[in-house]
Amino acid sequence: MGKYRKMSYLTSTMTDRFDCYYCRDNLHGKKYVKKDDKHVCTKCFDKLCANTCAECRRPIGADSKELHHKNRYWHEDCFRCAKCYKPLASEPFSARDDGKIMCGKCGSREDGNRCQGCYKVVMPGSQNVEYKNKVWHEECFTCFECKQPIRTQSFLTKGDDIYCAPCHDKKFAKKCFHCKQPITSGGISYQDQPWHSECFVCKTCHKALAGARFTSHENNVYCVDCYKTDVAKKCHGCKNPITGFGHGTNVVNYEGYSWHEYCFNCKKCSLSLANKRFVINGDHIYCPDCAKKL
């Protein structure tokens, strides 16, 4: 890679002629350089024959140590890493396509994969995360929302953005109609509203209602038993709850009172008075004919 030129001193008799190839000065007792089988004095060598340093663009004189690589030449002091300026005369190096010379460390940085977070090189052997043919430093692989490193946690994506599971759930998961917290798994739907299974319980006894019979009242849900006991109106005829379940789903309302349809009958003749004219006398109802006989 590097070499010193062999400088020669000539000793001979005064009768012998030994001249510089260019200036014809006598080289007896002087330094000279042999260049392409020609003997050249140092002055002519520096002026006419010296290679130009690829770094400083100055001639590499006869007294300088010259380093060469692939038809390019450097002064020893100029042969340094283009990034960190470390002397490379006796060090491993790499030559870039753009002509730059780099030490092994800087060359690895240039050749290595670049982190998608900080865009710096991910050095071989360093802690990193690979996902979909891209690479991040471990500390750069962070949640888009909370900015914390994900490391060994699970994560989800939305477009090109990466989220830790808690932030993804908080930002994108459906919210429970009851507790307003994200539904991360399972859940049920009622009247187009999502619920946690554990939130979908009877308002009164807190019994789970998933898969059970229930009814709702004023945005609350009740099991059948609690609805009958605590919420349902009482039939003015039979005094039992009007639940809307099974037999007797139709209801008759009049002046603040309610009846099962099947209980809305004439007190005397038991004629059904649903959708018919009727007369109230005290707490009882009568058909018009029976009312005349009272």
Side-chain angles (χ1 to χ4, degrees):
M1 172 66 204
K3 66 179 181 180
Y4 279 112
R5 286 185 197 81
K6 183 179 179 181
M7 305 298 292
S8 301
Y9 292 87
L10 181 66
T11 58
S12 63
T13 65
M14 294 298 293
T15 56
D16 294 330
R17 290 293 299 177
F18 194 77
D19 300 336
C20 170
Y21 178 82
Y22 293 102
C23 69
R24 315 311 298 176
D25 279 355
N26 194 319
L27 297 178
H28 281 290
K30 298 178 181 178
K31 292 186 197 178
Y32 70 91
V33 179
K34 190 174 183 179
K35 173 77 172 177
D36 298 329
D37 292 327
K38 300 181 181 72
H39 300 92
V40 183
C41 68
T42 56
K43 184 177 180 180
C44 287
F45 179 87
D46 291 349
K47 183 177 180 181
L48 302 173
C49 302
N51 293 312
T52 301
C53 176
E55 180 63 26
C56 71
R57 314 309 299 173
R58 296 177 181 176
I60 304 173
D63 292 324
S64 301
K65 185 175 181 181
E66 179 184 86
L67 301 174
H68 65 90
H69 177 70
K70 291 185 177 179
N71 297 320
R72 300 174 70 212
Y73 302 87
W74 292 263
H75 293 103
E76 181 181 28
D77 289 342
C78 291
F79 195 69
R80 296 172 176 269
C81 174
K83 286 286 185 180
C84 67
Y85 304 108
K86 177 183 178 180
L88 297 177
S90 58
E91 299 288 338
F93 67 90
S94 60
R96 316 297 300 172
D97 291 339
D98 58 5
K100 292 180 180 179
I101 301 297
M102 292 189 187
C103 66
K105 187 175 182 180
C106 291
S108 296
R109 286 176 176 166
E110 288 292 311
D111 292 334
N113 292 319
R114 292 197 174 271
C115 172
Q116 296 298 304
C118 67
Y119 301 105
K120 294 180 180 179
V121 172
V122 178
M123 295 297 291
S126 63
Q127 294 291 324
N128 63 76
V129 177
E130 293 186 20
Y131 177 66
K132 288 189 175 180
N133 298 320
K134 296 180 180 179
V135 65
W136 289 258
H137 295 110
E138 187 179 54
E139 63 273 14
C140 294
F141 193 67
T142 59
C143 171
F144 183 78
E145 187 73 11
C146 69
K147 311 303 181 186
Q148 295 301 307
I150 292 175
R151 301 190 191 281
T152 58
Q153 301 179 67
S154 60
F155 64 89
L156 299 98
T157 60
K158 194 75 171 179
D160 292 331
D161 299 326
I162 297 168
Y163 295 85
C164 64
C167 286
H168 184 275
D169 292 344
K170 183 178 180 181
K171 191 173 181 69
F172 301 109
K174 291 182 178 180
K175 303 294 192 302
C176 174
F177 181 74
H178 175 71
C179 70
K180 311 306 180 187
Q181 296 302 308
I183 300 173
T184 58
S185 63
I188 62 175
S189 178
Y190 174 63
Q191 292 185 343
D192 296 324
Q193 298 291 348
W195 297 65
H196 290 114
S197 296
E198 59 271 23
C199 290
F200 196 68
V201 297
C202 174
K203 170 72 173 176
T204 302
C205 69
H206 306 294
K207 173 185 176 181
L209 297 179
R213 295 178 68 196
F214 66 91
T215 190
S216 63
H217 178 71
E218 296 179 352
N219 291 328
N220 294 310
V221 288
Y222 298 86
C223 67
V224 173
D225 292 338
C226 289
Y227 182 78
K228 288 179 179 179
T229 304
D230 301 329
V231 180
K233 292 180 178 181
K234 301 299 187 289
C235 175
H236 194 60
C238 68
K239 310 304 180 186
N240 290 319
I242 301 174
T243 63
F245 300 119
H247 181 56
T249 55
N250 294 327
V251 180
V252 177
N253 296 299
Y254 181 72
E255 292 188 353
Y257 295 107
S258 298
W259 289 262
H260 295 109
E261 185 181 83
Y262 60 80
C263 292
F264 196 67
N265 303 322
C266 175
K267 174 66 175 176
K268 190 170 183 66
C269 70
S270 301
L271 176 71
S272 174
L273 297 177
N275 300 314
K276 296 177 181 178
R277 295 180 63 191
F278 60 91
V279 176
I280 290 185
N281 186 1
D283 286 337
H284 304 298
I285 54 174
Y286 298 90
C287 64
D289 291 340
C290 290
K292 292 178 182 178
K293 299 175 182 179
L294 293 177

